[in-house]
Amino acid sequence: MKSCRSYIFSTFRLHRAPSFFLPETEGQKIHDHVKPLENEKVIEKYYPNSFRETKLLEYLKSHQVTDLVFVGMMTHMCIDATVRAAKDLGFNCTVIGDATATKDLEINGSDAMAADVQTAFLAGLNFFCAEVKMTKDYIAI
């Protein structure tokens, strides 16, 4: 399997952007434990779908990438939007469920706890768009 590791990081300019994704904030910084190496591509994005208005698709095609593995946050936004787009574009998608995260949500006065949001979104992706695995199972491959 050909490996082509790249990093996608979010810079939101939308009025409803979570404060931890705003430019120049601690939440937008790439943690030292997963910091890209000099030869690894970094792609900045402005929307939950990492393919929208970026060079990601062009980059992946130029490297003949067919299989994508997703980790990160937030499961209910960026992971969901990008995995669904990737599937539509013909990629084989794997989501590492315990390496993604979400948060409590609210709609019309009803709360949805993060664990329930996480389960629902991963189950939805696993239904058609991706194979959802846990880290230990993915590493065992």
Side-chain angles (χ1 to χ4, degrees), residues 4 12-13 24 32 61 73 104 122:
C4 181
F12 280 99
R13 295 183 181 147
E24 309 299 319
D32 286 341
K61 285 187 171 195
M73 59 181 295
D104 294 344
L122 291 177

mmCIF file of all heavy atoms in Angstrom, residues 4 12-13 24 32 61 73 104 122:
data_model
loop_
_atom_site.group_PDB
_atom_site.id
_atom_site.type_symbol
_atom_site.label_atom_id
_atom_site.label_comp_id
_atom_site.label_asym_id
_atom_site.label_seq_id
_atom_site.Cartn_x
_atom_site.Cartn_y
_atom_site.Cartn_z
ATOM 1 N N CYS A 4 0.762 8.143 1.717
ATOM 2 C CA CYS A 4 0.890 9.552 1.385
ATOM 3 C C CYS A 4 0.235 10.326 2.518
ATOM 4 O O CYS A 4 -0.945 10.603 2.477
ATOM 5 C CB CYS A 4 0.205 9.826 0.055
ATOM 6 S SG CYS A 4 0.305 11.525 -0.482
ATOM 7 N N PHE A 12 -11.397 28.576 10.310
ATOM 8 C CA PHE A 12 -12.775 28.947 10.025
ATOM 9 C C PHE A 12 -12.919 30.451 10.012
ATOM 10 O O PHE A 12 -12.398 31.140 10.867
ATOM 11 C CB PHE A 12 -13.724 28.355 11.073
ATOM 12 C CG PHE A 12 -14.034 26.923 10.830
ATOM 13 C CD1 PHE A 12 -13.371 25.932 11.521
ATOM 14 C CD2 PHE A 12 -14.977 26.548 9.895
ATOM 15 C CE1 PHE A 12 -13.653 24.599 11.305
ATOM 16 C CE2 PHE A 12 -15.276 25.220 9.666
ATOM 17 C CZ PHE A 12 -14.608 24.247 10.379
ATOM 18 N N ARG A 13 -13.621 30.931 9.027
ATOM 19 C CA ARG A 13 -13.933 32.350 8.936
ATOM 20 C C ARG A 13 -15.432 32.570 9.015
ATOM 21 O O ARG A 13 -15.919 33.649 8.761
ATOM 22 C CB ARG A 13 -13.401 32.907 7.622
ATOM 23 C CG ARG A 13 -11.895 32.864 7.554
ATOM 24 C CD ARG A 13 -11.393 33.489 6.299
ATOM 25 N NE ARG A 13 -9.948 33.411 6.278
ATOM 26 C CZ ARG A 13 -9.234 33.262 5.201
ATOM 27 N NH1 ARG A 13 -9.813 33.180 4.033
ATOM 28 N NH2 ARG A 13 -7.934 33.209 5.262
ATOM 29 N N GLU A 24 -4.851 31.596 14.803
ATOM 30 C CA GLU A 24 -3.949 32.044 15.873
ATOM 31 C C GLU A 24 -4.401 31.648 17.270
ATOM 32 O O GLU A 24 -4.002 32.264 18.256
ATOM 33 C CB GLU A 24 -3.737 33.565 15.817
ATOM 34 C CG GLU A 24 -3.326 34.087 14.457
ATOM 35 C CD GLU A 24 -2.002 33.500 13.961
ATOM 36 O OE1 GLU A 24 -1.065 33.365 14.757
ATOM 37 O OE2 GLU A 24 -1.935 33.178 12.759
ATOM 38 N N ASP A 32 2.354 18.846 18.986
ATOM 39 C CA ASP A 32 3.715 18.357 18.725
ATOM 40 C C ASP A 32 3.777 16.851 18.477
ATOM 41 O O ASP A 32 4.604 16.377 17.706
ATOM 42 C CB ASP A 32 4.652 18.716 19.886
ATOM 43 C CG ASP A 32 5.014 20.199 19.891
ATOM 44 O OD1 ASP A 32 4.849 20.860 18.850
ATOM 45 O OD2 ASP A 32 5.472 20.683 20.941
ATOM 46 N N LYS A 61 -5.006 12.748 -6.033
ATOM 47 C CA LYS A 61 -4.975 12.135 -7.362
ATOM 48 C C LYS A 61 -3.555 12.127 -7.932
ATOM 49 O O LYS A 61 -3.148 11.154 -8.563
ATOM 50 C CB LYS A 61 -5.936 12.846 -8.306
ATOM 51 C CG LYS A 61 -7.388 12.505 -8.038
ATOM 52 C CD LYS A 61 -8.297 13.095 -9.090
ATOM 53 C CE LYS A 61 -9.693 12.544 -8.889
ATOM 54 N NZ LYS A 61 -10.549 12.783 -10.035
ATOM 55 N N MET A 73 -11.257 15.795 14.630
ATOM 56 C CA MET A 73 -12.495 16.315 15.160
ATOM 57 C C MET A 73 -13.025 17.386 14.230
ATOM 58 O O MET A 73 -12.264 17.920 13.426
ATOM 59 C CB MET A 73 -12.299 16.838 16.576
ATOM 60 C CG MET A 73 -11.279 17.945 16.701
ATOM 61 S SD MET A 73 -11.030 18.523 18.359
ATOM 62 C CE MET A 73 -12.600 19.218 18.761
ATOM 63 N N ASP A 104 -21.086 17.747 23.058
ATOM 64 C CA ASP A 104 -22.524 17.818 23.320
ATOM 65 C C ASP A 104 -23.132 18.820 22.341
ATOM 66 O O ASP A 104 -22.533 19.860 22.035
ATOM 67 C CB ASP A 104 -22.804 18.307 24.741
ATOM 68 C CG ASP A 104 -22.340 17.343 25.817
ATOM 69 O OD1 ASP A 104 -22.064 16.167 25.504
ATOM 70 O OD2 ASP A 104 -22.242 17.777 26.980
ATOM 71 N N LEU A 122 -20.875 7.941 13.750
ATOM 72 C CA LEU A 122 -20.030 6.819 13.312
ATOM 73 C C LEU A 122 -20.880 5.708 12.709
ATOM 74 O O LEU A 122 -20.509 5.104 11.699
ATOM 75 C CB LEU A 122 -19.180 6.299 14.465
ATOM 76 C CG LEU A 122 -18.073 7.234 14.950
ATOM 77 C CD1 LEU A 122 -17.347 6.625 16.138
ATOM 78 C CD2 LEU A 122 -17.096 7.592 13.831
#
